[in-house]
Amino acid sequence: MSEDGPKRTRPFVLITGTPGTGKTSTASLIAERTGMKHVNVGDLIKEHKCHEGRDEDLDTNILDEDKLLDAMEVILDKAAEDGQGIVADFHVCEIFPERWFDLIICLRTSTDVLFDRLTARGYNEKKRSENMEAEIMQVILDEARESYAQEIVHECPSNTVEDMETNVTRVEQWGKQWIKDKDK
Ligand code: ADP
Ligand code: MN
């Protein structure tokens, strides 16, 4: 959202993490419970065709970052104007302006659990092992810590449905507090 954009009365949250850690499931539950708007950034990229081509080797599309940021800014400004919160989910977090988010949740999944999820998703061996390695090396968490204030970045386990419930409740509670605190 633009620097002189509408002032927010509800918080903006980013759920990040390696593919398969549970970002979309968690974000949609948070949206359901809180009334925040779920922005599935992967879907947005498809809808707005924010692609610059395809990396066949990695079996992924090459992202047109500027186009994505423009599309997102419109959505975030609209939400701010409408007094609605945002819960965005994406596996990359460093491309967004720091001012966009009030809380960054980085989901973490243990190797064996992630292996099964990525296999079930039909990832080829190369894509699966790339993502497994990224999770083991905590690439996304490091990115988040480098890109945002330490105190807004939270690492949350996402192995079980109980974990998911805990994470959803945590964001819900945090959001209530954020709304209370904002006028102080
Ligand atoms: P992401 O958006 O991070 O790629 P998804 O939300 O699509 O991940 O989840 C991938 C798969 O793992 C889905 O089948 C989802 O139901 C399952 N899953 C995600 N998080 C959990 C969790 N905490 N406990 C159990 N299953 C989960
Ligand atoms: Mn997803």
Side-chain angles (χ1 to χ4, degrees), residues 67-86:
K67 202 171 174 187
L68 170 64
L69 293 182
D70 286 349
M72 267 186 83
E73 187 159 50
V74 171
I75 293 172
L76 299 199
D77 278 348
K78 173 83 167 62
E81 245 176 62
D82 295 348
Q84 193 176 27
I86 288 280

Side-chain angles (χ1 to χ4, degrees), residues 19-20 22-25 38 40 42-43 89-91 121:
K23 300 179 296 296
T24 302
S25 320
H38 179 194
N40 180 327
D43 287 353
D89 94 75
F90 198 41
H91 62 278
R121 189 174 267 188

Side-chain angles (χ1 to χ4, degrees), residues 42-119:
D43 287 353
L44 197 71
I45 289 168
K46 280 179 210 146
E47 276 164 37
H48 290 260
K49 303 196 168 55
C50 306
H51 292 131
E52 291 185 311
R54 192 159 171 79
D55 184 335
E56 292 301 341
D57 207 36
L58 266 181
D59 189 25
T60 57
N61 293 312
I62 299 160
L63 177 64
D64 182 341
E65 271 184 30
D66 290 340
K67 202 171 174 187
L68 170 64
L69 293 182
D70 286 349
M72 267 186 83
E73 187 159 50
V74 171
I75 293 172
L76 299 199
D77 278 348
K78 173 83 167 62
E81 245 176 62
D82 295 348
Q84 193 176 27
I86 288 280
V87 54
D89 94 75
F90 198 41
H91 62 278
V92 179
C93 61
E94 63 181 0
I95 61 172
F96 304 119
E98 205 181 338
R99 66 178 185 280
W100 275 10
F101 295 108
D102 305 297
L103 177 72
I104 313 286
I105 297 290
C106 182
L107 297 180
R108 301 300 311 279
T109 300
S110 61
T111 315
D112 52 334
V113 176
L114 190 64
F115 181 92
D116 291 344
R117 287 189 199 159
L118 296 179
T119 305

Side-chain angles (χ1 to χ4, degrees), residues 1-181:
M1 59 192 276
S2 49
E3 257 148 307
D4 55 354
K7 196 172 180 329
R8 309 205 289 247
T9 57
R10 291 289 181 276
F12 287 8
V13 177
L14 176 67
I15 312 291
T16 192
T18 306
T21 50
K23 300 179 296 296
T24 302
S25 320
T26 304
S28 58
L29 255 182
I30 291 169
E32 218 177 279
R33 301 253 182 100
T34 62
M36 294 164 99
K37 183 180 171 62
H38 179 194
V39 179
N40 180 327
V41 178
D43 287 353
L44 197 71
I45 289 168
K46 280 179 210 146
E47 276 164 37
H48 290 260
K49 303 196 168 55
C50 306
H51 292 131
E52 291 185 311
R54 192 159 171 79
D55 184 335
E56 292 301 341
D57 207 36
L58 266 181
D59 189 25
T60 57
N61 293 312
I62 299 160
L63 177 64
D64 182 341
E65 271 184 30
D66 290 340
K67 202 171 174 187
L68 170 64
L69 293 182
D70 286 349
M72 267 186 83
E73 187 159 50
V74 171
I75 293 172
L76 299 199
D77 278 348
K78 173 83 167 62
E81 245 176 62
D82 295 348
Q84 193 176 27
I86 288 280
V87 54
D89 94 75
F90 198 41
H91 62 278
V92 179
C93 61
E94 63 181 0
I95 61 172
F96 304 119
E98 205 181 338
R99 66 178 185 280
W100 275 10
F101 295 108
D102 305 297
L103 177 72
I104 313 286
I105 297 290
C106 182
L107 297 180
R108 301 300 311 279
T109 300
S110 61
T111 315
D112 52 334
V113 176
L114 190 64
F115 181 92
D116 291 344
R117 287 189 199 159
L118 296 179
T119 305
R121 189 174 267 188
Y123 276 18
N124 67 35
E125 207 181 310
K126 182 163 185 197
K127 201 169 170 179
R128 187 179 57 202
S129 55
E130 290 247 349
N131 282 298
M132 301 278 296
E133 197 174 316
E135 181 59 6
I136 292 163
M137 302 292 289
Q138 59 173 62
V139 173
I140 312 291
L141 181 63
D142 287 348
E143 249 181 52
R145 287 183 172 152
E146 279 160 26
S147 310
Y148 298 91
Q150 297 295 311
E151 61 272 19
I152 76 160
V153 177
H154 295 271
E155 180 182 13
C156 298
S158 177
N159 295 306
T160 62
V161 286
E162 289 77 18
D163 288 342
M164 196 184 299
E165 185 57 39
T166 303
N167 297 335
V168 170
T169 306
R170 198 170 160 197
V171 174
E172 200 180 358
Q173 296 303 329
W174 171 90
K176 283 184 187 155
Q177 196 57 46
W178 188 94
I179 294 165
K180 271 191 201 159
D181 289 346

